Amino acid sequence: GLEPLRLKPKEGLALINGTQLMSAYAVREIIRSMRLLKTAMIAAAMSLEAFEATDKVFDPRIHALKNHPGEIEVAAGFRKLLAASEIVASHRECDKVQDPYSFRCLPQVLGAVLDTLRWTKDWVEREINAVTDNPLVFREDGDILSGGNFHGEHMAIALDALAIAISEIGSISERRIDKLLDNDSDKLPQCLIEDPGLHSGLMVTQYLAASLVSENKIYAHPASVDSIPTSAGFEDHVSMGSIAAFKLAKIVDNVGRITAVELLVAAQAMEFFKPLTGGRGSHVAWEFVRGHVPFVSEDTAVSEYLSTLESIAQEGTLVNEVEKALGGSLLELKGEDS
């Protein structure tokens, strides 16, 4: 029942001669990336408990001294997730001094991702509300001016920066996966299987995560630093923003798969701490994961489990369940000044 749009002079050009494609990708990937960042925090909180790492690294005094908004807010999010954790409380007075960076530096790394998401969002909002075609007709004074608003440099650089940031979510996640599967804890068996001599447990899932991290290193190379002249040298510098957009989408997909691996591994590891429970948010996450994926007691194909958990990561269902339990949003994409 829709009436077809009848284009008037210049309107067809205005619809295609600008930054629409890369801007549309940017909007979609910002939304997906924010959802993924929250899911990654939830998975990391579960991993931290299972590794018996300390929660002291989330003390607000530490992050106030560095004074990056994203870092401060990510640390606060972890405090919510881990509040009232029986697992953390059980080893609070242990003599371990420091944990590996993949646990200890979570606010610094994921906080940088959050800050990158926010300034990318600011650039994208400006772009989608801008006039980006050419030439421009100024009706009031009758001028027709040929300029360069079609150039996608802002979007290309923003998309490249976001690609680098999101790839870091996967990179630090893979390190935690490795630590849980190969550890010297008296609580966690090798590869998180009760009979590691006979079964390989979840060992191969780390291979998947590692391969995706390596693939992301290729995709994270910035497209915006490249340009090939066309149109007899007239179009001698372009943004390559569409390539940046396509690469970012692949990275977000890959990090969703890596996060699925960490959810599977962390949920498996938390089983060995029963009857102790996790934090206010992490325990709800563990229960939600267990509602979809069982404990792995012997070697079995886990591809279906990972597909299920990837959907949970990408669609935001786990985030919704945890935020409901916490009584509010884990993080806000809108910054202090927005």
Side-chain angles (χ1 to χ4, degrees):
L2 296 177
E3 287 293 324
L5 179 64
R6 302 294 182 187
L7 298 179
K8 296 179 180 179
K10 191 180 173 295
E11 289 184 339
L13 184 65
L15 288 171
I16 62 172
N17 188 30
T19 59
Q20 292 85 350
L21 183 145
M22 60 188 83
S23 297
Y25 262 83
V27 170
R28 187 185 73 161
E29 298 313 321
I30 286 171
I31 293 169
R32 291 210 299 156
S33 296
M34 187 62 184
R35 189 183 298 144
L36 198 53
L37 175 57
K38 291 181 179 182
T39 308
M41 284 180 62
I42 294 166
M46 296 166 63
S47 293
L48 183 140
E49 289 176 315
F51 192 71
E52 294 185 285
T54 180
D55 63 347
K56 292 179 182 177
V57 295
F58 306 120
D59 189 307
R61 293 171 294 181
I62 295 173
H63 308 291
L65 290 176
K66 197 153 190 194
N67 198 30
H68 286 292
E71 177 182 331
I72 290 169
E73 290 167 55
V74 166
F78 275 108
R79 292 196 298 273
K80 293 177 187 177
L81 289 168
L82 295 169
S85 171
E86 293 178 2
I87 298 174
V88 171
S90 70
H91 60 85
R92 194 175 295 283
E93 302 307 321
C94 71
D95 55 4
K96 184 164 62 171
V97 179
Q98 293 178 331
D99 295 304
Y101 289 2
S102 54
F103 297 95
R104 198 192 330 167
C105 302
L106 274 163
Q108 289 80 4
V109 175
L110 298 186
V113 175
L114 178 58
D115 285 336
T116 304
L117 263 167
R118 283 175 172 163
W119 76 253
T120 302
K121 173 177 173 283
D122 181 58
W123 279 24
V124 172
E125 285 181 343
R126 290 174 186 274
E127 192 77 14
I128 63 177
N129 286 290
V131 176
T132 63
D133 68 315
N134 187 64
L136 301 179
V137 178
F138 294 87
R139 186 173 58 181
E140 293 80 5
D141 45 26
D143 287 341
I144 300 176
L145 300 180
S146 182
N149 279 7
F150 56 82
H151 203 289
E153 194 75 0
H154 275 88
M155 288 300 88
I157 291 175
L159 290 161
D160 279 338
L162 189 55
I164 292 169
I166 301 306
S167 68
E168 284 293 270
I169 297 177
S171 179
I172 196 171
S173 172
E174 185 276 331
R175 289 293 78 210
R176 291 189 298 272
I177 293 165
D178 178 73
K179 290 290 187 292
L180 291 178
L181 292 169
D182 179 19
N183 63 83
D184 56 5
S185 167
D186 59 353
K187 291 191 174 67
L188 299 180
Q190 283 291 308
C191 300
L192 302 179
I193 200 78
E194 290 170 327
D195 190 352
L198 183 62
H199 301 280
S200 59
L202 299 182
M203 177 182 71
V204 178
T205 63
Q206 191 253 337
Y207 296 7
L208 172 61
S211 68
L212 292 170
V213 168
S214 288
E215 188 176 314
N216 282 348
K217 293 173 186 176
I218 306 300
Y219 292 141
H221 180 82
S224 56
V225 299
D226 185 31
S227 182
I228 296 179
T230 57
S231 188
F234 214 71
E235 297 172 1
D236 57 347
H237 182 279
V238 293
S239 71
M240 299 294 185
S242 58
I243 296 175
F246 301 151
K247 294 195 300 89
L248 172 59
K250 289 178 182 292
I251 287 174
V252 175
D253 286 342
N254 284 352
V255 174
R257 295 185 184 105
I258 296 167
T259 304
V261 173
E262 185 172 7
L263 286 171
L264 178 67
V265 169
Q268 179 87 356
M270 288 178 74
E271 292 275 356
F272 296 97
F273 288 86
K274 286 180 175 178
L276 298 178
T277 60
R280 189 171 294 132
S282 56
H283 182 66
V284 168
W286 176 81
E287 289 183 319
F288 189 78
V289 170
R290 274 291 161 266
H292 292 80
V293 171
F295 176 75
V296 178
S297 57
E298 59 183 10
D299 278 354
T300 184
V302 296
S303 57
E304 288 188 15
Y305 301 160
L306 290 173
S307 294
T308 298
L309 293 174
E310 183 184 350
S311 296
I312 285 172
Q314 295 284 16
E315 294 168 8
T317 50
L318 174 61
V319 171
N320 292 341
E321 200 69 20
V322 170
E323 289 186 332
K324 192 189 307 177
L326 295 178
S329 180
L330 190 58
L331 293 173
E332 293 290 346
L333 185 54
K334 184 169 66 175
E336 294 176 331
D337 303 324
S338 297

